[in-house]
Amino acid sequence: MDIEDILLEMKDTSELMVDLAYSALLYDNEEIARQVVELEQRVDDWDQEVQKKAVERAIDDKDVEKALVFIRLADSIETVADGAVEIADVVLRDIEPHPVVAAALKESDTVIATVTVPTTSPAAGKTLGEMKMASETGMWVIAIRRGDSWIYGPDENTLVEQGDLLIARGPVEGGRELRLYIEA
Amino acid sequence: MDIEDILLEMKDTSELMVDLAYSALLYDNEEIARQVVELEQRVDDWDQEVQKKAVERAIDDKDVEKALVFIRLADSIETVADGAVEIADVVLRDIEPHPVVAAALKESDTVIATVTVPTTSPAAGKTLGEMKMASETGMWVIAIRRGDSWIYGPDENTLVEQGDLLIARGPVEGGRELRLYIEA
C-alpha cells in the first residue's frame, strides 16, 4: 500500500475506534471494548509502516518536509487511537461495573450490539441488502470483523459470511431482534 | 454541571474535534483546523473540572474507585482531543499546502464547509427546518459555533442567529450553494 492509502486506513480505523470506545462505555459492553484494544495493534503497525515508507520516499525524492508531514500525521492518528484505547481500558479494567457512568452517559434511544453469524444463520451468504436487516430490525451494521480483517461502513452490497462479527447500531429493542434474526 | 454531564459534553466535543480535524485535513481547511485548536481549551478546562469534582465527591461518599474512574475517563477523552489537535496542527503548520495528502485522503464526493451568518442573511432568525437548507443545498449542518458556545448536532428546530458559524457537510457542489444561500 502507498503511504496515502495507509493513512486513509488509519483514519478510518481511528474513527471507528473512537466510535466503538464510546459505545463500549455508554453500554458497558466489554466485547466492544476488546475490539478497540485489538484494533490498536493495526494502527501501531501502520504507524511504523508510514515512518519506514516516508523515509524511503524521501531518499528518492529528497523532500524532507513531506516525509515529516506523513510521519507527524501517522503519529497524530495514533494519538487519537490511543485515546480510544484508554477509554476502552476504563470499561475493561473496572472491577465492578460503574453503572452510574453508563447511565449518565447513555443516549436515550440508541444501542450498539454485536453478534457473530453462526454457520446455520439464514444471513450467511446474503448481502446486507438481501437480508433487509435495517428495515426488519432497525439496526444498521456499522462495521464487520471477518477474522483479522475489518469492513468499515459496509453497504447493501456487502456480503455477510458465517463467522462474521457484526457491529450494529439502532433502537433499544433492535438489539434483541438482531440476535433473533442472525442466530435464527 | 454534574460530573456525568461534563463527561457527556467532553465526549461530544471530542467526537466533533476528531470529525473536524479529519475534515480539515481532507479539504486542507485551516478555518476548521483553527476551530479544533480552540475547542481543545474547553476539553482541558472540563478535564480539570472533572478532577476537582471527582475528589470533592469522594470526600462525601468515600468511594475512591469511582472517583478514579471519573478522572481516568476525563483524561482518556482528553487524549482523543489531543490527537485531533495534533492532526489540526499538521494542517495549520504546513508552510506550503500538501495537496498530495489532501488529494489522496479526500473522499470522493463529500465536502465540509463553514460559513458565518451575516446580519443581512435571510437565514438569521430562522430555524434550520424553516431554511430548508438541507433540501435546497444538500448540506447538513453538523455544528454551530455561537460566540464561545457550540451546538452539536443541531436539528430542524435549531434557530440560526446572525454571527453564527455554521459547519456543514454535503456534496461537492453544496459548499458554494450554501454560501450563496446564507450570504444572499
Side-chain angles (χ1 to χ4, degrees):
Chain A
M1 281 202 291
D2 273 344
I3 298 179
E4 291 85 350
D5 295 328
I6 299 173
L7 286 170
L8 191 53
E9 282 287 321
M10 290 181 77
K11 165 191 167 287
D12 288 345
T13 305
S14 66
E15 286 182 310
L16 179 67
M17 288 172 72
V18 171
D19 192 0
L20 294 181
Y22 282 128
S23 297
L25 179 69
L26 295 180
Y27 307 108
D28 201 15
N29 187 318
E30 297 200 359
E31 166 67 16
I32 291 179
R34 272 190 294 272
Q35 299 298 330
V36 174
V37 173
E38 285 192 33
L39 280 166
E40 195 199 17
Q41 188 57 52
R42 300 161 71 84
V43 175
D44 284 351
D45 291 346
W46 279 321
D47 189 17
Q48 303 294 317
E49 188 81 4
V50 168
Q51 290 178 20
K52 182 162 166 286
K53 284 180 189 274
V55 174
E56 285 171 355
R57 199 188 280 189
I59 291 170
D60 284 341
D61 68 12
K62 318 287 182 231
D63 191 336
V64 176
E65 268 306 309
K66 196 194 286 178
L68 293 179
V69 166
F70 285 134
I71 291 170
R72 277 209 305 266
L73 203 47
D75 286 347
S76 309
I77 297 173
E78 224 223 313
T79 304
V80 172
D82 285 346
V85 169
E86 288 178 27
I87 293 165
D89 271 340
V90 171
V91 177
L92 292 174
R93 286 186 352 187
D94 281 354
I95 294 163
E96 47 171 331
H98 284 270
V100 63
V101 176
L105 290 177
K106 187 174 288 190
E107 279 149 28
S108 52
D109 50 2
T110 308
V111 295
I112 195 156
T114 57
V115 59
T116 301
V117 180
T119 321
T120 56
S121 172
K126 289 192 187 155
T127 64
L128 286 174
E130 285 166 348
M131 286 166 57
K132 294 194 172 39
M133 204 181 69
S135 56
E136 295 280 331
T137 68
M139 300 297 283
W140 287 92
V141 177
I142 59 172
I144 298 175
R145 177 177 180 167
R146 181 169 300 160
D148 281 341
S149 71
W150 282 79
I151 301 164
Y152 310 129
D155 62 25
E156 54 181 3
N157 300 316
T158 306
L159 203 66
V160 171
E161 298 180 5
Q162 65 181 65
D164 281 358
L165 176 75
L166 309 183
I167 299 182
R169 192 196 311 277
V172 174
E173 63 280 9
R176 207 177 63 89
E177 287 175 21
L178 174 71
R179 246 168 252 282
L180 287 173
Y181 189 81
I182 294 295
E183 297 176 347
Chain B
M1 281 205 292
D2 273 345
I3 297 179
E4 291 85 349
D5 295 328
I6 298 172
L7 286 169
L8 192 53
E9 282 287 320
M10 290 181 76
K11 165 191 167 289
D12 288 344
T13 305
S14 66
E15 286 181 309
L16 180 67
M17 288 172 73
V18 170
D19 192 1
L20 293 181
Y22 281 128
S23 297
L25 178 70
L26 295 181
Y27 306 108
D28 202 15
N29 186 319
E30 297 201 358
E31 164 66 16
I32 290 180
R34 272 190 296 272
Q35 299 298 330
V36 174
V37 173
E38 285 192 32
L39 279 166
E40 195 199 17
Q41 188 57 54
R42 301 162 70 85
V43 175
D44 285 351
D45 292 346
W46 279 321
D47 189 17
Q48 302 295 316
E49 187 79 5
V50 167
Q51 290 178 18
K52 183 163 164 284
K53 284 180 191 272
V55 174
E56 286 170 354
R57 198 187 279 190
I59 292 169
D60 284 341
D61 68 10
K62 316 286 183 234
D63 191 338
V64 175
E65 266 306 310
K66 196 195 287 178
L68 293 179
V69 166
F70 285 134
I71 290 170
R72 278 210 303 266
L73 204 46
D75 286 345
S76 308
I77 297 173
E78 223 223 312
T79 303
V80 172
D82 285 345
V85 169
E86 287 177 27
I87 293 165
D89 272 339
V90 171
V91 177
L92 291 174
R93 288 189 346 191
D94 281 354
I95 294 163
E96 46 170 335
H98 284 270
V100 63
V101 177
L105 291 177
K106 187 176 290 190
E107 281 151 25
S108 52
D109 49 3
T110 308
V111 294
I112 195 156
T114 56
V115 59
T116 301
V117 180
T119 321
T120 54
S121 172
K126 287 191 189 157
T127 64
L128 286 174
E130 285 167 350
M131 284 166 56
K132 295 193 172 41
M133 204 181 70
S135 56
E136 295 281 331
T137 68
M139 299 296 283
W140 288 92
V141 177
I142 58 171
I144 298 175
R145 178 178 180 164
R146 180 169 300 159
D148 282 339
S149 70
W150 281 80
I151 300 164
Y152 310 129
D155 62 24
E156 54 181 4
N157 300 315
T158 306
L159 203 66
V160 171
E161 298 181 5
Q162 63 181 67
D164 281 359
L165 176 75
L166 308 184
I167 300 182
R169 191 195 313 276
V172 174
E173 64 280 11
R176 208 178 61 91
E177 287 175 21
L178 174 73
R179 248 167 250 282
L180 287 172
Y181 189 80
I182 295 293
E183 297 176 347

